[in-house]
Amino acid sequence: MTSYVSIETEGNLGFDLEEVTNQVLQAVMEEEACPYDVTVNLTLTDNDEIQAVNASFRQIDRATDVLSFPNLHFETPGDFSEAEDHEADCFDPDTGELMLGDIMISEDKVREQAEAYGHSLKREFAFLVAHSLFHLCGYDHMEEDEAKVMESKQEAILQKLKITRE
């Protein structure tokens, strides 16, 4: 498993961003029984930049906490069998790793939401990473039943890693 963490902000949340990203990545891939080593790119940015990207890609002109850009299309969430059908587009030719996609997180929103929900910056960051990774694995939360599945999976990962609300 490989994560590339790019920090476009102060990036001082009081913990090792790469370490937490890798812990969450490993736990989610185990939970999903992903048969491949994967690569994920994560960018920590600010509200202005994430708003610009949100406006450009989703036509929603406001800041958001996290954006997910999957590299795969899933017919069924968590079913990685489609990846081999699109090997040239999905696997890094140098490492052989499945290129799962890109994540963009607003450091400003991490801080705002941690304070609003009364938990640590680490817990909020880990939650957003898990949330985005499940999006990269084909999950969504547009319908109530989908949201329940995603919420349950996210909470299970954070419990497993002992990154809980404090």
Side-chain angles (χ1 to χ4, degrees), residues 7-62:
I7 302 172
E8 297 179 344
T9 63
E10 197 177 293
N12 186 7
L13 294 174
F15 57 89
D16 186 321
L17 297 172
E18 290 184 37
E19 181 180 313
V20 172
T21 299
N22 286 329
Q23 289 173 343
V24 175
L25 176 61
Q26 183 71 36
V28 169
M29 293 302 99
E30 287 174 4
E31 173 72 19
E32 293 303 298
C34 180
Y36 309 107
D37 282 336
V38 301
T39 300
V40 172
N41 299 306
L42 184 144
T43 301
L44 185 68
T45 193
D46 61 21
N47 277 349
D48 290 339
E49 182 61 24
I50 209 164
Q51 180 173 347
V53 173
N54 203 20
S56 177
F57 283 91
R58 298 176 62 221
Q59 290 69 55
I60 300 174
D61 191 15
R62 64 175 165 77

Side-chain angles (χ1 to χ4, degrees), residues 76-87:
T76 303
D79 178 2
F80 293 89
S81 63
E82 296 277 325
E84 290 183 17
D85 294 340
H86 307 283
E87 186 171 348

